[in-house]
Short mmCIF file of all heavy atoms in Angstrom, two decimals:
data_model
loop_
_atom_site.label_atom_id
_atom_site.label_comp_id
_atom_site.label_asym_id
_atom_site.label_seq_id
_atom_site.Cartn_x
_atom_site.Cartn_y
_atom_site.Cartn_z
N GLU A 1278 45.31 -38.94 -33.55
CA GLU A 1278 43.91 -39.25 -33.59
C GLU A 1278 43.11 -38.67 -34.75
O GLU A 1278 42.27 -39.14 -35.29
CB GLU A 1278 43.23 -38.78 -32.27
CG GLU A 1278 43.77 -39.59 -31.05
CD GLU A 1278 44.95 -38.93 -30.44
OE1 GLU A 1278 45.08 -37.73 -30.61
OE2 GLU A 1278 45.58 -39.69 -29.77
N ASP A 1279 43.67 -37.47 -35.21
CA ASP A 1279 43.11 -36.69 -36.30
C ASP A 1279 43.31 -37.42 -37.67
O ASP A 1279 42.43 -37.30 -38.49
CB ASP A 1279 43.68 -35.31 -36.43
CG ASP A 1279 43.46 -34.44 -35.27
OD1 ASP A 1279 42.43 -34.72 -34.56
OD2 ASP A 1279 44.24 -33.54 -35.06
N TYR A 1280 44.35 -38.30 -37.59
CA TYR A 1280 44.59 -39.04 -38.80
C TYR A 1280 43.82 -40.47 -38.86
O TYR A 1280 43.92 -41.29 -39.83
CB TYR A 1280 46.02 -39.28 -39.08
CG TYR A 1280 46.78 -37.98 -39.41
CD1 TYR A 1280 47.37 -37.28 -38.43
CD2 TYR A 1280 46.82 -37.52 -40.74
CE1 TYR A 1280 48.04 -36.07 -38.74
CE2 TYR A 1280 47.58 -36.40 -41.06
CZ TYR A 1280 48.14 -35.58 -40.07
OH TYR A 1280 48.78 -34.50 -40.35
N ALA A 1281 43.36 -40.80 -37.73
CA ALA A 1281 42.73 -42.15 -37.59
C ALA A 1281 41.60 -42.37 -38.68
O ALA A 1281 41.60 -43.51 -39.21
CB ALA A 1281 42.18 -42.37 -36.21
N PHE A 1282 40.88 -41.37 -38.97
CA PHE A 1282 39.77 -41.54 -39.92
C PHE A 1282 40.36 -41.81 -41.28
O PHE A 1282 39.68 -42.49 -42.11
CB PHE A 1282 38.77 -40.43 -39.98
CG PHE A 1282 39.42 -39.19 -40.59
CD1 PHE A 1282 39.10 -38.94 -41.96
CD2 PHE A 1282 40.22 -38.20 -40.02
CE1 PHE A 1282 39.58 -37.80 -42.67
CE2 PHE A 1282 40.71 -37.08 -40.63
CZ PHE A 1282 40.40 -36.91 -41.95
N LEU A 1283 41.55 -41.32 -41.54
CA LEU A 1283 42.15 -41.42 -42.97
C LEU A 1283 42.49 -42.91 -43.16
O LEU A 1283 42.29 -43.43 -44.23
CB LEU A 1283 43.35 -40.59 -43.07
CG LEU A 1283 43.14 -39.12 -43.05
CD1 LEU A 1283 44.42 -38.31 -43.06
CD2 LEU A 1283 42.22 -38.68 -44.17
N GLU A 1284 42.84 -43.67 -42.13
CA GLU A 1284 43.21 -45.10 -42.21
C GLU A 1284 41.94 -45.86 -42.56
O GLU A 1284 42.01 -46.69 -43.51
CB GLU A 1284 43.76 -45.56 -40.84
CG GLU A 1284 45.05 -46.17 -41.06
CD GLU A 1284 45.57 -46.57 -39.68
OE1 GLU A 1284 45.01 -47.27 -38.84
OE2 GLU A 1284 46.77 -46.17 -39.44
N THR A 1285 40.83 -45.54 -41.89
CA THR A 1285 39.69 -46.33 -42.26
C THR A 1285 39.08 -45.92 -43.58
O THR A 1285 38.56 -46.69 -44.39
CB THR A 1285 38.57 -46.10 -41.14
OG1 THR A 1285 38.27 -44.59 -41.09
CG2 THR A 1285 38.97 -46.60 -39.86
N SER A 1286 39.17 -44.64 -43.96
CA SER A 1286 38.61 -44.14 -45.20
C SER A 1286 39.53 -44.70 -46.29
O SER A 1286 39.08 -44.81 -47.44
CB SER A 1286 38.48 -42.65 -45.21
OG SER A 1286 39.73 -42.03 -45.22
N GLY A 1287 40.82 -44.85 -46.01
CA GLY A 1287 41.78 -45.30 -47.07
C GLY A 1287 41.37 -46.75 -47.51
O GLY A 1287 41.37 -47.09 -48.63
N SER A 1288 41.03 -47.54 -46.51
CA SER A 1288 40.67 -48.92 -46.83
C SER A 1288 39.32 -48.98 -47.41
O SER A 1288 38.98 -49.90 -48.21
CB SER A 1288 40.67 -49.76 -45.52
OG SER A 1288 39.73 -49.35 -44.59
N SER A 1289 38.48 -48.01 -47.12
CA SER A 1289 37.21 -47.99 -47.63
C SER A 1289 37.07 -47.43 -49.05
O SER A 1289 36.20 -47.76 -49.81
CB SER A 1289 36.18 -47.13 -46.82
OG SER A 1289 36.55 -45.82 -46.89
N THR A 1290 38.09 -46.75 -49.60
CA THR A 1290 38.12 -46.24 -50.93
C THR A 1290 38.29 -47.44 -51.89
O THR A 1290 37.79 -47.34 -53.05
CB THR A 1290 39.23 -45.25 -51.23
OG1 THR A 1290 40.52 -45.86 -50.81
CG2 THR A 1290 39.06 -43.94 -50.40
N GLU A 1291 38.92 -48.54 -51.41
CA GLU A 1291 39.02 -49.66 -52.25
C GLU A 1291 37.53 -50.33 -52.53
O GLU A 1291 37.26 -50.62 -53.72
CB GLU A 1291 39.94 -50.75 -51.71
CG GLU A 1291 41.35 -50.27 -51.57
CD GLU A 1291 42.21 -51.15 -50.67
OE1 GLU A 1291 41.63 -52.11 -50.19
OE2 GLU A 1291 43.30 -50.87 -50.53
N GLY A 1292 36.83 -50.36 -51.40
CA GLY A 1292 35.55 -50.92 -51.52
C GLY A 1292 34.43 -49.88 -51.96
O GLY A 1292 33.20 -50.14 -51.91
N TYR A 1293 34.83 -48.62 -52.18
CA TYR A 1293 33.95 -47.60 -52.46
C TYR A 1293 33.04 -47.83 -53.62
O TYR A 1293 31.82 -47.76 -53.57
CB TYR A 1293 34.69 -46.24 -52.57
CG TYR A 1293 33.78 -45.11 -52.98
CD1 TYR A 1293 32.83 -44.55 -52.02
CD2 TYR A 1293 33.78 -44.68 -54.27
CE1 TYR A 1293 32.13 -43.55 -52.41
CE2 TYR A 1293 32.91 -43.57 -54.64
CZ TYR A 1293 32.11 -43.06 -53.74
OH TYR A 1293 31.28 -42.07 -54.11
N THR A 1294 33.61 -48.34 -54.63
CA THR A 1294 32.83 -48.62 -55.83
C THR A 1294 31.88 -49.81 -55.61
O THR A 1294 30.73 -49.76 -56.15
CB THR A 1294 33.72 -48.90 -57.13
OG1 THR A 1294 34.56 -49.95 -56.77
CG2 THR A 1294 34.55 -47.59 -57.50
N GLU A 1295 32.36 -50.75 -54.98
CA GLU A 1295 31.50 -51.88 -54.58
C GLU A 1295 30.28 -51.44 -53.75
O GLU A 1295 29.16 -51.87 -54.05
CB GLU A 1295 32.28 -52.95 -53.93
CG GLU A 1295 33.30 -53.66 -54.76
CD GLU A 1295 34.13 -54.55 -54.05
OE1 GLU A 1295 33.95 -54.80 -52.88
OE2 GLU A 1295 35.18 -55.13 -54.64
N ASP A 1296 30.66 -50.65 -52.73
CA ASP A 1296 29.53 -50.13 -51.85
C ASP A 1296 28.61 -49.22 -52.57
O ASP A 1296 27.34 -49.23 -52.48
CB ASP A 1296 30.25 -49.31 -50.77
CG ASP A 1296 30.87 -50.23 -49.70
OD1 ASP A 1296 30.67 -51.39 -49.74
OD2 ASP A 1296 31.71 -49.65 -48.85
N LYS A 1297 29.18 -48.35 -53.57
CA LYS A 1297 28.34 -47.53 -54.39
C LYS A 1297 27.48 -48.31 -55.21
O LYS A 1297 26.18 -48.03 -55.29
CB LYS A 1297 29.22 -46.65 -55.20
CG LYS A 1297 28.53 -45.57 -56.03
CD LYS A 1297 29.44 -44.69 -56.85
CE LYS A 1297 28.61 -43.75 -57.72
NZ LYS A 1297 29.44 -43.04 -58.59
N VAL A 1298 27.93 -49.40 -55.86
CA VAL A 1298 27.06 -50.25 -56.68
C VAL A 1298 25.97 -50.88 -55.79
O VAL A 1298 24.73 -50.91 -56.18
CB VAL A 1298 27.96 -51.27 -57.43
CG1 VAL A 1298 27.03 -52.40 -58.06
CG2 VAL A 1298 28.76 -50.58 -58.41
N ALA A 1299 26.42 -51.33 -54.66
CA ALA A 1299 25.43 -52.01 -53.71
C ALA A 1299 24.39 -51.04 -53.30
O ALA A 1299 23.19 -51.35 -53.29
CB ALA A 1299 26.11 -52.61 -52.58
N LEU A 1300 24.79 -49.84 -52.97
CA LEU A 1300 23.80 -48.82 -52.57
C LEU A 1300 22.89 -48.44 -53.69
O LEU A 1300 21.70 -48.25 -53.46
CB LEU A 1300 24.51 -47.55 -52.07
CG LEU A 1300 25.18 -47.70 -50.70
CD1 LEU A 1300 25.98 -46.39 -50.43
CD2 LEU A 1300 24.11 -47.91 -49.61
N GLU A 1301 23.40 -48.36 -54.89
CA GLU A 1301 22.63 -48.05 -56.03
C GLU A 1301 21.62 -49.17 -56.34
O GLU A 1301 20.43 -48.93 -56.66
CB GLU A 1301 23.50 -47.81 -57.38
CG GLU A 1301 24.17 -46.41 -57.29
CD GLU A 1301 25.05 -46.24 -58.55
OE1 GLU A 1301 25.21 -47.15 -59.42
OE2 GLU A 1301 25.64 -45.09 -58.54
N ASP A 1302 22.08 -50.46 -56.12
CA ASP A 1302 21.13 -51.56 -56.39
C ASP A 1302 20.08 -51.51 -55.42
O ASP A 1302 18.93 -51.76 -55.60
CB ASP A 1302 21.92 -52.79 -56.31
CG ASP A 1302 22.73 -53.10 -57.57
OD1 ASP A 1302 22.56 -52.39 -58.63
OD2 ASP A 1302 23.64 -53.98 -57.50
N ASP A 1303 20.50 -51.31 -54.04
CA ASP A 1303 19.44 -51.19 -52.96
C ASP A 1303 18.46 -50.08 -53.32
O ASP A 1303 17.32 -50.29 -53.15
CB ASP A 1303 20.11 -50.93 -51.70
CG ASP A 1303 20.83 -52.15 -51.17
OD1 ASP A 1303 20.69 -53.30 -51.66
OD2 ASP A 1303 21.62 -52.00 -50.08
N TRP A 1304 18.97 -48.90 -53.75
CA TRP A 1304 18.07 -47.80 -54.05
C TRP A 1304 17.16 -48.12 -55.19
O TRP A 1304 15.92 -47.85 -55.14
CB TRP A 1304 18.95 -46.55 -54.43
CG TRP A 1304 18.16 -45.40 -54.74
CD1 TRP A 1304 17.61 -44.57 -53.90
CD2 TRP A 1304 17.91 -44.89 -56.02
NE1 TRP A 1304 16.99 -43.46 -54.61
CE2 TRP A 1304 17.07 -43.73 -55.87
CE3 TRP A 1304 18.30 -45.28 -57.42
CZ2 TRP A 1304 16.66 -43.01 -56.96
CZ3 TRP A 1304 17.73 -44.61 -58.49
CH2 TRP A 1304 17.05 -43.46 -58.26
N LYS A 1305 17.72 -48.81 -56.26
CA LYS A 1305 16.87 -49.19 -57.39
C LYS A 1305 15.73 -50.21 -56.86
O LYS A 1305 14.59 -50.17 -57.29
CB LYS A 1305 17.69 -49.81 -58.42
CG LYS A 1305 18.49 -48.75 -59.30
CD LYS A 1305 19.39 -49.44 -60.26
CE LYS A 1305 20.29 -48.42 -61.07
NZ LYS A 1305 21.07 -49.07 -62.07
N ASP A 1306 16.23 -51.20 -56.01
CA ASP A 1306 15.25 -52.18 -55.51
C ASP A 1306 14.10 -51.51 -54.73
O ASP A 1306 12.98 -51.82 -54.89
CB ASP A 1306 15.94 -53.22 -54.69
CG ASP A 1306 16.87 -54.11 -55.46
OD1 ASP A 1306 16.76 -54.13 -56.76
OD2 ASP A 1306 17.67 -54.81 -54.91
N LYS A 1307 14.57 -50.45 -53.87
CA LYS A 1307 13.51 -49.84 -53.01
C LYS A 1307 12.68 -49.00 -53.96
O LYS A 1307 11.52 -48.94 -53.71
CB LYS A 1307 14.22 -48.91 -52.03
CG LYS A 1307 14.85 -49.69 -50.83
CD LYS A 1307 15.53 -48.72 -49.94
CE LYS A 1307 16.21 -49.53 -48.83
NZ LYS A 1307 16.94 -48.67 -47.85
#
């Protein structure tokens, strides 16, 4: 169970840059 978060975070590292860009765009828009 302690490693479960690593699985989700591992898949999210691929989309991290996309999420980061999206968050930055949202922040800029706001």
Side-chain angles (χ1 to χ4, degrees):
E1278 293 86 26
D1279 296 336
Y1280 290 96
F1282 77 94
L1283 294 174
E1284 237 174 52
T1285 57
S1286 69
S1288 65
S1289 68
T1290 56
E1291 296 167 1
Y1293 174 73
T1294 55
E1295 292 172 7
D1296 290 343
K1297 184 179 176 184
V1298 169
L1300 286 174
E1301 285 178 357
D1302 287 345
D1303 287 347
W1304 180 78
K1305 286 179 183 177
D1306 290 344
K1307 286 180 183 179

